């Protein structure tokens, strides 16, 4: 047991020494994000994060009242927690600063609640606010997890006021990252865009890197314009242990983009006439079959793959796609893409 340096009797606790003592607890590093009242993304670096409950799924963050983003977090009905990996200490420093445009060079997506989810992170949790607690010089926000994702990267640690790297050997059941392919379900007037391999088989248009905004640079140098507000995460899955996995987004082609400008290998098919038998892999056929079913109901879900079984979280409706109906989330055995 360490020797006491501060005793709470009639003496006042020294906040500097107390901070040092708190700092000996090794934590991960997160960037917590939300949107302010006008809708602009806001975020800050924080290590005061913890899981609270599995049923219901709850997490907790603490926001300092002196933080520039505190008011935005207090007034928002949602937030996201983005846990950083070992290569993101510079990003942590940016979000710990008082910069007015922290998101300028940061890729992020909207998944469920509308809070920014960083495209590159160790893990993320998209949450609606469950409760708020006033606690001294901090505000405690407890969030209900509406969606989450994770990766096998090593975490970024924090101890005694500085970043630390953690030797993180993957436990049994975790596979090292093989890279991810970005695929797109791009719709226009009831038709879906597919890419021909030139040998009679089809797949989804793919991109090397996910970028926010209107334009997507597809493999082969093709650039396509979509409606940013229509772009949502749709499916995350592994094809096999040795091949890259897939991250699939769904989007709508922008009305001012001429389909005639597409490369010859890109072709639109009516949803009820998709050439499923000519789709190259079982996994992508599963994605398209699920999309056909959900398109008919105008009610889409998000599939997250896992070695022990995948999970689909259904969105309540296309018009309120930032909300998730957790009562209709289903667990599936290992069938990639959620058939």
């Amino acid at each position: 047991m360490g020797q006491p340096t501060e005793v709470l009797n009639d003496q006042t606790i020294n906040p500097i020494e107390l901070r040092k003592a708190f700092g000996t607890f090794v934590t991960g590093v997160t960037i917590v994000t939300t949107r302010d009242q006008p809708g602009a993304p806001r975020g800050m670096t924080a290590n005061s994060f913890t899981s609270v409950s599995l049923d219901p799924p709850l997490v907790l963050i603490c926001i300092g009242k002196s933080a520039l983003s505190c008011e935005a977090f207090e007034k928002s009905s949602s937030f996201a927690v983005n846990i950083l990996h070992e290569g993101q200490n510079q990003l942590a420093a940016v979000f710990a600063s008082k910069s007015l445009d922290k998101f300028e060079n940061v890729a992020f997506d909207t998944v469920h609640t509308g809070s920014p989810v960083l495209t590159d992170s160790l893990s993320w949790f998209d949450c609606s606010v469950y409760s708020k607690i006033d606690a001294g010089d901090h505000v405690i926000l407890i969030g209900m997890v509406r969606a989450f994702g994770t990766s096998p990267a090593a975490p970024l640690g924090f101890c005694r006021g500085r970043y630390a790297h953690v030797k993180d050997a993957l436990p049994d059941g975790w596979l090292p990252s093989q890279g991810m392919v970005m695929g797109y379900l791009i719709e226009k007037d009831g038709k879906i865009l597919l890419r021909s391999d030139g040998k009679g088989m089809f797949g989804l248009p793919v991109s090397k890197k996910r970028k926010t905004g209107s334009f997507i640079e597809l493999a082969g140098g093709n650039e396509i314009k979509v409606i940013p507000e229509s772009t949502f995460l749709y499916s995350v899955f592994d094809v096999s242990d040795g091949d890259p996995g897939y991250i699939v987004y769904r989007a709508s082609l922008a009305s001012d983009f001429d389909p005639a400008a597409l490369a010859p290998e890109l072709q639109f098919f009516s949803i009820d006439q998709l050439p499923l038998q000519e789709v190259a892999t079982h996994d992508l056929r599963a994605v398209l079959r699920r999309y056909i079913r959900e398109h008919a109901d105008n009610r889409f879900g998000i599939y997250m793959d896992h070695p022990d079984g995948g999970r689909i979280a259904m969105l309540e409706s296309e018009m309120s796609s930032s909300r998730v109906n957790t009562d209709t989330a289903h667990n599936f055995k290992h069938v990639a893409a959620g058939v």
Side-chain angles (χ1 to χ4, degrees):
M1 180 177 179
Q3 295 298 314
T5 57
E6 293 289 340
V7 179
L8 184 60
N9 292 318
D10 295 332
Q11 300 177 351
T12 301
I13 289 287
N14 184 320
I16 297 177
E17 295 303 318
L18 182 61
R19 185 183 182 90
K20 290 180 180 179
F22 284 157
T24 61
F25 182 64
V26 182
T27 70
V29 183
T30 77
I31 290 175
V32 292
T33 58
T34 190
R35 291 188 183 273
D36 58 22
Q37 293 297 300
R42 303 293 296 272
M44 57 180 286
T45 300
N47 67 335
S48 53
F49 161 76
T50 185
S51 58
V52 175
S53 169
L54 291 175
D55 186 16
L58 302 177
V59 298
L60 176 154
I61 60 171
C62 296
I63 305 294
K65 293 180 179 178
S66 61
L68 295 178
S69 300
C70 182
E71 183 179 1
F73 280 96
E74 283 191 292
K75 293 183 177 180
S76 178
S77 61
S78 67
F79 63 87
V81 180
N82 304 271
I83 301 177
L84 302 187
H85 60 65
E86 62 180 353
Q88 295 183 302
N89 53 307
Q90 292 299 320
L91 184 63
V94 170
F95 276 81
S97 72
K98 297 185 182 299
S99 170
L100 297 179
D101 195 1
K102 300 176 182 179
F103 290 87
E104 182 179 6
N105 297 309
V106 178
F108 62 91
D109 286 318
T110 296
V111 180
H112 282 321
T113 68
S115 294
V117 172
L118 303 190
T119 303
D120 182 23
S121 62
L122 172 66
S123 300
W124 55 267
F125 305 90
D126 194 3
C127 308
S128 59
V129 173
Y130 184 81
S131 65
K132 300 177 184 179
I133 304 170
D134 186 90
D137 57 6
H138 278 66
V139 176
I140 299 174
L141 298 181
I142 297 177
M144 178 174 288
V145 178
R146 300 298 187 178
F148 68 95
T150 189
S151 76
L156 178 64
F158 192 78
C159 183
R160 291 192 169 98
R162 59 185 179 180
Y163 298 114
H165 294 286
V166 180
K167 291 183 179 180
D168 184 43
L170 292 176
D172 293 340
W174 286 78
L175 295 174
S177 174
Q178 301 290 340
M180 299 296 285
V181 174
M182 304 290 177
Y184 286 87
L185 278 163
I186 299 174
E187 182 177 348
K188 179 178 175 59
D189 300 330
K191 296 181 178 181
I192 290 293
L193 187 65
L194 297 181
R195 177 176 56 89
S196 170
D197 66 357
K199 301 177 182 179
M201 303 300 287
F202 292 93
L204 295 178
V206 298
S207 176
K208 292 183 178 180
K209 187 175 182 181
R210 167 82 175 112
K211 294 183 178 180
T212 58
S214 300
F215 290 93
I216 301 170
E217 186 175 343
L218 301 177
N222 302 295
E223 190 174 65
I224 192 168
K225 186 177 181 181
V226 299
I227 304 171
E229 295 81 6
S230 75
T231 305
F232 289 94
L233 181 66
Y234 188 68
S235 189
V236 180
F237 63 92
D238 284 327
V239 176
S240 70
D241 293 348
D243 293 327
Y246 267 83
I247 299 176
V248 180
Y249 294 88
R250 61 184 177 91
S252 296
L253 192 70
S255 59
D256 59 349
F257 183 86
D258 184 2
L262 294 171
E265 67 268 21
L266 297 172
Q267 182 179 349
F268 277 100
F269 290 87
S270 297
I271 289 179
D272 58 355
Q273 296 181 353
L274 290 172
L276 295 177
Q277 298 308 312
E278 285 75 47
V279 172
T281 68
H282 165 78
D283 309 285
L284 291 179
R285 287 195 296 272
V287 170
L288 291 169
R289 287 193 181 103
R290 179 164 71 89
Y291 190 87
I292 292 170
R293 293 197 304 270
E294 294 179 352
H295 183 272
D297 296 332
N298 193 30
R299 188 167 180 268
F300 295 90
I302 297 176
Y303 175 85
M304 186 67 67
D305 194 20
H306 189 275
D308 296 328
R311 179 177 182 271
I312 292 180
M314 297 304 297
L315 303 184
E316 289 184 349
S317 71
E318 179 70 355
M319 295 304 294
S320 60
S321 54
S322 64
R323 300 179 62 191
V324 175
N325 186 342
T326 55
D327 292 336
T328 58
H330 305 285
N331 287 318
F332 293 81
K333 290 302 180 183
H334 188 61
V335 181
V339 294

